[in-house]
Amino acid sequence: MSSQPLRPVPGPDDASEPFWEACARHVLLLQACGGCGTLRFPPRPMCPRCNSFEQAWVPASGRGRVWSWVIAHPPVLPAFADRAPYNVIVVELDEGVRMIGNLLETPNEEIAEGMPIEVAWEDVEDGVSLPQWRPTQ
Amino acid sequence: MNDYPRDAAAIVGVGHTEFSKNIGRPERTIALEAIKMALDDAGLTAKDVDGLVKFSLENTMEVEIVRNLGIPNLSFFGDVGYGGGAGCGAVGHAAMAIATGVAETVVVWRARNRGSGGRPWATRPTNKQPGEMQWFLPFGLSRPVDQIAMLTRRHMIEYGTTQEHLGHVATSVREHATRNPNAMMRKPMTMDDYLAARWVSEPLRLFDCCLESDGALAFVLTTPERAAALKQPAVLVRAASQGIGPDHLVMANYFTANPLDTPARYAAQELWRLAGMGPDEIDCAQFYDAFSPLIVISLEEYGFCKPGEGGPFAAEGNLKLGGALPSNTSGSSLSEAYVHGMNLILEGVRQLRGTSTSQVENCENVLVTSGNGVPTSSLVLRKP
Ligand SMILES: [Zn+2]
């Protein structure tokens, strides 16, 4: 047994499985309503706008901006202890939806609201990749 | 729509254990202690109780309360969800049961050994995160403080709210706690003390966070008619509301159109409609304060300030006794104890009984709120 604390990984459900399956291939997909086209994140079975159960998965641009961020200091989960203090950001994608991630390749003190960022994949386990973010190159 | 039954139930008994880091007794025991004290306070017994309302997160079930207390016939029971958002809603459910005649005397309680019981966020069993956690935990957004810090940073970006504003919130609340013998933190705190404290999740520091506490509280409610014959002055439930806004996701509603509109924005609108009054008529407020910025956001959402004015309002001293809106007059979650906000309801009752250690003169109407990062609830309590 490894003594390395287990890193939390996504536990896909019926609604999110296509999202995480695409992430494993380093493709960022967004769930869209099959009835009215409204994007929704996180994924779910029904469109809150038109109540359609129809859905489509559309490629995201992978570009966005920093909407907010925190710097987490100890005590944190054991799996994150060796990287504290570490950042967590909310990114607003160009498509308008927001998601949570970490901003890589950036000192914590250089993070700023509105920074242009792009998706950068982090492989955390066999078959599990997280959409992460780095300054737009 | 029928008229909302205002003032149709009264809080007639309160009970609470001591608040401590390690109370040394199980949650079940302290739940029963608090309920017994609340019944004694009212001059009622278990024979009078026909309803119970609890938090969904409560670990002691109704059957345990019934068979320990000796309740002969429990005909109404229910629970309210979302942790810190539940307290005022639980009292509201009890009041609705009484107003409709479904029950006559209802107990609401919460027992939580959180000081000695470890950190719930650190003990999730597996590395595969289900439900909403799959979107947060793989990135290390793991603690409630991280989730609220994220909203706080956005509030700072949009409105210029500062760390000193939050410091004024924390020091105002502490000033009240210095006079409250029940409070766990009674040492005076200066702005320098506040700013020197360590970071927990930037932009939040240690003193922006509530205490980790053990403790239990209970309230007994009954009809205003019956209340008039009991030992304590009745405290009427003027109105209670609940709220979940659009596209909300538990503690991190960053996915809504305007995440700075927390569920409290919706609970507030409903509360003022049901109560038939507005913020101008409130003499004293007890805002849910798992974290200091929640007071700033609540000031704005409940209509005491415009968006962005909550921080300056606190900095002007308005939250202190003698200020425009004395708030969290017991020291509340930041300095008295954190029992999922139930001690805020207790302090609302104390203010209306005239027994607060930071008593507001001529206090007639009190606002109490529950947690506004989560689906939430609120109350207006008043004197008959
Ligand atoms: Zn639709």
Side-chain angles (χ1 to χ4, degrees):
Chain A
M1 283 283 286
S2 162
S3 60
Q4 188 67 24
L6 283 178
R7 167 109 180 235
V9 296
D13 54 39
D14 59 334
S16 67
E17 206 282 333
F19 178 86
W20 293 117
E21 187 276 327
C23 286
R25 296 182 283 112
H26 293 192
V27 174
L28 188 63
L29 293 184
L30 292 174
Q31 191 192 38
C33 173
C36 72
T38 303
L39 294 173
R40 51 188 196 246
F41 187 88
R44 72 205 70 165
M46 179 184 273
C47 174
R49 186 159 170 239
C50 74
N51 288 176
S52 169
F53 285 99
E54 299 299 316
Q55 56 175 301
W57 289 88
V58 298
S61 66
R63 287 188 300 273
R65 289 173 185 276
V66 172
W67 183 85
S68 187
W69 75 100
V70 302
I71 310 298
H73 291 254
V76 296
L77 285 177
F80 294 92
D82 62 357
R83 66 183 80 178
Y86 63 89
N87 74 66
V88 189
I89 67 166
V90 172
V91 53
E92 188 162 82
L93 276 67
D94 287 356
E95 291 83 356
V97 302
R98 300 187 197 100
M99 56 179 71
I100 293 165
N102 303 114
L103 184 55
L104 312 177
E105 303 170 22
T106 311
N108 289 337
E109 56 278 12
E110 289 178 17
I111 303 173
E113 193 270 331
M115 269 179 80
I117 55 180
E118 63 185 18
V119 74
W121 296 98
E122 184 182 7
D123 302 326
V124 292
E125 273 184 14
D126 268 359
V128 180
S129 298
L130 300 176
Q132 295 283 27
W133 303 87
R134 66 182 178 194
T136 301
Q137 318 246 297
Chain B
M1 203 184 287
N2 290 330
D3 287 342
Y4 178 80
R6 293 170 187 155
D7 305 327
I11 297 175
V12 293
V14 300
H16 68 92
T17 65
E18 73 274 27
F19 303 130
S20 89
K21 291 298 272 188
N22 187 352
I23 203 165
R25 307 186 301 284
E27 286 180 350
R28 179 173 66 175
T29 301
I30 61 173
L32 293 164
E33 287 175 20
I35 293 171
K36 181 67 167 66
M37 282 188 269
L39 289 168
D40 289 348
D41 183 53
L44 293 169
T45 73
K47 306 279 181 292
D48 299 298
V49 177
D50 56 0
L52 292 174
V53 184
K54 66 175 169 51
F55 282 49
S56 301
L57 294 183
E58 173 67 25
N59 292 317
T60 307
M61 297 295 105
E62 297 89 348
V63 288
E64 286 290 319
I65 305 297
V66 166
R67 71 195 190 100
N68 278 277
L69 212 64
I71 296 172
N73 181 7
L74 190 75
S75 55
F76 170 75
F77 46 96
D79 57 33
V80 179
Y82 299 101
C88 293
V91 169
H93 283 215
M96 279 193 285
I98 293 164
T100 55
V102 167
E104 186 178 45
T105 301
V106 182
V107 171
V108 178
W109 84 98
R110 178 72 174 130
R112 192 175 191 234
N113 285 353
R114 174 68 174 79
S116 59
R119 302 185 157 100
W121 52 264
T123 54
R124 297 183 202 283
T126 67
N127 71 328
K128 281 235 188 253
Q129 298 300 321
E132 77 275 5
M133 285 301 164
Q134 69 188 297
W135 309 109
F136 313 150
L137 268 188
F139 307 98
L141 193 77
S142 44
R143 304 168 297 182
V145 65
D146 301 314
Q147 296 171 320
I148 298 304
M150 193 72 84
L151 275 187
T152 305
R153 174 89 65 184
R154 189 66 201 179
H155 200 275
M156 291 172 159
I157 291 165
E158 291 204 11
Y159 299 123
T161 301
T162 65
Q163 287 167 28
E164 284 76 10
H165 289 153
L166 302 182
H168 282 288
V169 171
T171 56
S172 298
V173 171
R174 177 62 63 83
E175 190 174 304
H176 298 148
T178 62
R179 295 188 286 266
N180 175 8
N182 295 314
M184 290 170 67
M185 298 288 275
R186 294 196 294 273
K187 202 175 130 201
M189 179 168 68
T190 66
M191 182 64 80
D192 286 346
D193 296 332
Y194 169 85
L195 291 171
R198 67 178 175 83
W199 293 115
V200 181
S201 190
E202 292 178 51
L204 299 184
R205 300 172 184 277
L206 183 64
F207 295 128
D208 293 307
C209 302
C210 63
L211 303 169
E212 294 176 336
S213 328
D214 290 0
L217 298 99
F219 304 96
V220 182
L221 290 89
T222 192
T223 62
E225 295 70 31
R226 191 158 192 212
L230 295 176
K231 272 165 68 179
Q232 299 287 354
V235 168
L236 295 173
V237 177
R238 175 67 171 183
S241 73
Q242 293 180 281
I244 299 178
D247 218 14
H248 187 83
L249 197 66
V250 194
M251 271 193 84
N253 64 325
Y254 318 134
F255 313 109
T256 64
N258 181 10
L260 294 179
D261 280 352
T262 77
R265 172 79 61 196
Y266 302 89
Q269 290 163 2
E270 196 61 6
L271 183 71
W272 299 134
R273 184 181 77 79
L274 297 175
M277 59 171 73
D280 287 355
E281 289 163 86
I282 295 298
D283 303 307
C284 160
Q286 312 296 333
F287 292 117
Y288 187 87
D289 58 342
F291 304 102
S292 65
L294 295 181
I295 298 183
V296 171
I297 292 171
S298 295
L299 284 164
E300 299 167 7
E301 296 193 310
Y302 283 91
F304 296 96
C305 295
K306 291 195 176 68
E309 292 179 357
F313 186 86
E316 287 157 14
N318 288 312
L319 305 183
K320 297 183 183 189
L321 192 60
L325 183 71
S327 298
N328 297 47
T329 46
S330 68
S332 55
S333 311
L334 292 173
S335 289
E336 187 188 39
Y338 181 61
V339 196
H340 261 162
M342 288 290 264
N343 50 323
L344 302 170
I345 301 171
L346 171 67
E347 177 63 7
V349 172
R350 287 189 195 120
Q351 284 288 352
L352 292 165
R353 288 181 177 183
T355 59
S356 172
T357 49
S358 294
Q359 184 62 45
V360 173
E361 280 180 48
N362 304 315
C363 185
E364 301 280 337
N365 299 308
V366 176
L367 169 70
V368 188
T369 73
S370 291
N372 46 354
V374 291
T376 195
S377 55
S378 54
L379 280 173
V380 173
L381 302 176
R382 62 177 287 265
K383 277 187 185 169

